[in-house]
Amino acid sequence: MSAPTADIRARAPEAKKVHIADTAINRHNWYKHVNWLNVFLIIGIPLYGCIQAFWVPLQLKTAIWAVIYYFFTGLGITAGYHRLWAHCSYSATLPLRIWLAAVGGGAVEGSIRWWARDHRAHHRYTDTDKDPYSVRKGLLYSHLGWMVMKQNPKRIGRTDISDLNEDPVVVWQHRNYLKVVFTMGLAVPMLVAGLGWGDWLGGFVYAGILRIFFVQQATFCVNSLAHWLGDQPFDDRNSPRDHVITALVTLGEGYHNFHHEFPSDYRNAIEWHQYDPTKWSIWAWKQLGLAYDLKKFRANEIEKGRVQQLQKKLDRKRATLDWGTPLDQLPVMEWDDYVEQAKNGRGLVAIAGVVHDVTDFIKDHPGGKAMISSGIGKDATAMFNGGVYYHSNAAHNLLSTMRVGVIRGGCEVEIWKRAQKENVEYVRDGSGQRVIRAGEQPTKIPEPIPTADAA
């Protein structure tokens, strides 16, 4: 009887578990993709508050208190979670940090550590798959979808939060987050209204639940509306935008294009007339000795970004305009050939060595047909550059669209040849087009053209 043989088959490696967020949604598994806890917190509880509001009368004192507490908890997010902890745009004393951590928790948007970690990833990987609330995945997704649908945490870009892990206020709030939420989100607003004027239920519904809902939606607008509505005065490579409506909704966070360009600046709005109560609050805290080291980007750097973006917009606008055929792409004509074509009925005029076909413009010439016709087939450089102002800038621009050739040995050709020889490059815009500024058209020759003296 033979001895039993050992099973030497290699054990198959265990299949790596795929995160639900990395699988396709269908009618059989859609409920697995939903983060039901967040649905309950973000949608369910506010819905309950809206229903309760039908039976709970809103007292004026409670309404005023709800608005005041809305601003307190909103500042906890904008001035605390965002500008203090996520971007370190200023420093705060311990009492202010404790207050911001407390009221920020009352907004019920996660702990400082969790919130700032995702926000740093958002800035580092804006509009990419590593952005936790990328607007490229849809406006609704960036506003709410990323919260109510499960995400694979490994897909979110990595960030450094070592400074947050060393902040005792951040660590304490993170460990006791649910207690902070219950206390600051619901208990405090209810206690103030209840002990203050006996409106316990109104404080719970209006200053508690519904106030939380409005604060959350305002913050979510920074992720969605601020990446969709408005202008991009500093850079347009990514989606952030500036708009006063978003600023009004978000306590000043709506100047988002500026913020993404200069994230460590404690301001979002830099103009005196722009709405940014968060900036004003931080400044006021500095005057009270509660905040210090307020960071501001140098005005020179801010203006450089603004000018560069304006230049990009000008370049795009310039690209849509007809500036005429570039001089180095025009065919070279012999003088005799130019004269011959003019004699055969073609309305050609030579100005500064460039040949222009003005046939269709003769009847529209503001100076009359005779004046422009007298230059056909001749060197009309002196004639075109004569008068009081050597023709208007508009006239030189219009003439550039009529270019058909250059005269061999003409002055512009010689200038171009010399530039090539000296390796001088013309100024060009972002799309590679030569920038033609007013008064710098090749036909604009304010000084008399030098000629060789007769022998």
Side-chain angles (χ1 to χ4, degrees):
M1 192 172 173
S2 61
T5 59
D7 186 1
I8 60 174
R9 290 176 299 176
R11 181 178 296 175
E14 294 182 7
K16 190 175 181 180
K17 188 176 181 180
V18 179
H19 194 278
I20 186 65
D22 296 330
T23 63
I25 301 177
N26 55 52
R27 61 190 180 90
H28 300 294
N29 71 356
W30 66 268
Y31 62 93
K32 295 181 180 180
H33 285 263
V34 177
N35 186 326
W36 291 106
L37 176 61
N38 282 349
V39 168
F40 173 73
L41 294 174
I42 299 173
I43 299 175
I45 292 180
L47 183 60
Y48 166 77
C50 290
I51 294 172
Q52 282 294 313
F54 281 101
W55 291 278
V56 179
L58 175 59
Q59 297 184 24
L60 178 60
K61 291 181 180 179
T62 303
I64 294 173
W65 164 236
V67 171
I68 292 173
Y69 203 55
Y70 169 89
F71 273 88
F72 283 174
T73 52
L75 285 173
I77 298 297
T78 61
Y81 279 39
H82 188 205
R83 302 191 197 185
L84 175 60
W85 281 297
H87 293 299
C88 306
S89 64
Y90 69 101
S91 298
T93 58
L94 181 61
L96 180 57
R97 282 164 43 221
I98 292 174
W99 184 79
L100 289 171
V103 293
V108 193
E109 296 183 17
S111 69
I112 297 167
R113 185 179 182 276
W114 174 85
W115 196 103
R117 181 250 183 257
D118 271 11
H119 192 71
R120 289 181 181 181
H122 165 66
H123 270 262
R124 187 178 182 184
Y125 304 101
T126 305
D127 298 340
T128 69
D129 289 338
K130 293 184 178 182
D131 181 349
Y133 28 85
S134 172
V135 76
R136 303 295 187 206
K137 297 179 182 179
L139 187 65
L140 184 60
Y141 179 87
S142 64
H143 186 81
L144 196 64
W146 70 281
M147 292 285 288
V148 299
M149 303 300 291
K150 291 180 180 177
Q151 289 195 69
N152 185 347
K154 294 182 179 180
R155 299 289 183 188
I156 300 174
R158 297 183 63 182
T159 58
D160 178 17
I161 56 171
S162 56
D163 59 316
L164 302 178
N165 293 333
E166 296 171 358
D167 188 326
V169 174
V170 174
V171 173
W172 182 88
Q173 195 231 37
H174 185 72
R175 290 176 177 172
N176 299 275
Y177 178 66
L178 290 179
K179 295 177 182 177
V180 174
V181 165
F182 175 79
T183 302
M184 300 303 298
L186 298 172
V188 166
M190 181 176 64
L191 285 170
V192 170
L195 295 176
W197 49 92
D199 190 14
W200 295 89
L201 195 53
F204 178 74
V205 172
Y206 294 106
I209 294 176
L210 294 183
R211 187 265 320 159
I212 289 173
F213 171 72
F214 285 114
V215 169
Q216 288 178 342
Q217 295 305 309
T219 304
F220 298 162
C221 282
V222 180
N223 302 333
S224 57
L225 204 60
H227 287 260
W228 177 72
L229 177 67
D231 300 321
Q232 296 178 298
F234 298 98
D235 197 6
D236 62 358
R237 291 175 299 169
N238 295 316
S239 61
R241 298 172 180 273
D242 288 0
H243 202 283
V244 64
I245 290 179
T246 317
L248 291 171
V249 170
T250 61
L251 300 185
E253 302 280 62
Y255 301 102
H256 213 50
N257 191 252
F258 173 87
H259 172 64
H260 267 256
E261 280 297 293
F262 312 103
S264 62
D265 197 309
Y266 86 97
R267 308 163 299 171
N268 261 207
I270 58 174
E271 305 296 341
W272 68 268
H273 56 82
Q274 293 176 324
Y275 180 76
D276 188 358
T278 301
K279 172 188 70 175
W280 302 331
S281 298
I282 296 171
W283 180 87
W285 295 334
K286 178 185 178 182
Q287 309 313 307
L288 295 173
L290 296 172
Y292 57 97
D293 191 22
L294 277 58
K295 296 177 183 176
K296 293 168 61 175
F297 260 81
R298 288 189 296 165
N300 182 71
E301 305 311 304
I302 294 173
E303 288 308 306
K304 283 197 303 192
R306 197 196 305 269
V307 168
Q308 288 170 330
Q309 182 61 15
L310 286 172
Q311 190 62 60
K312 289 174 69 174
K313 292 179 180 179
L314 286 173
D315 291 348
R316 285 195 293 267
K317 183 66 176 178
R318 183 184 290 110
T320 66
L321 304 176
D322 179 9
W323 297 90
T325 305
L327 296 174
D328 54 358
Q329 296 179 20
L330 292 171
V332 177
M333 300 175 65
E334 300 293 342
W335 179 261
D336 291 341
D337 183 36
Y338 157 69
V339 173
E340 184 66 26
Q341 289 191 42
K343 287 181 178 180
N344 291 333
R346 194 176 181 191
L348 301 181
V349 293
I351 302 173
V354 183
V355 180
H356 307 83
D357 189 340
V358 298
T359 304
D360 296 331
F361 184 67
I362 294 175
K363 65 181 185 301
D364 298 322
H365 184 238
K369 296 181 181 179
M371 181 67 72
I372 192 171
S373 297
S374 65
I376 293 177
K378 303 174 183 177
D379 184 346
T381 306
M383 180 188 300
F384 189 74
N385 284 277
V388 177
Y389 54 73
Y390 311 107
H391 267 87
S392 68
N393 184 64
H396 285 273
N397 283 337
L398 178 62
L399 190 65
S400 69
T401 65
M402 304 177 190
R403 297 171 185 163
V404 293
V406 291
I407 298 296
R408 187 180 300 280
C411 66
E412 179 60 32
V413 176
E414 293 306 318
I415 292 172
W416 176 70
K417 287 180 180 178
R418 186 167 66 251
Q420 293 294 316
K421 184 177 180 180
E422 295 174 356
N423 196 28
V424 175
E425 294 185 358
Y426 293 119
V427 176
R428 298 185 181 275
D429 65 18
S431 59
Q433 294 193 55
R434 183 181 173 187
V435 176
I436 308 296
R437 307 194 189 282
E440 294 183 1
Q441 297 92 337
T443 51
K444 186 78 171 179
I445 304 178
E447 299 295 330
I449 301 173
T451 57
D453 295 332

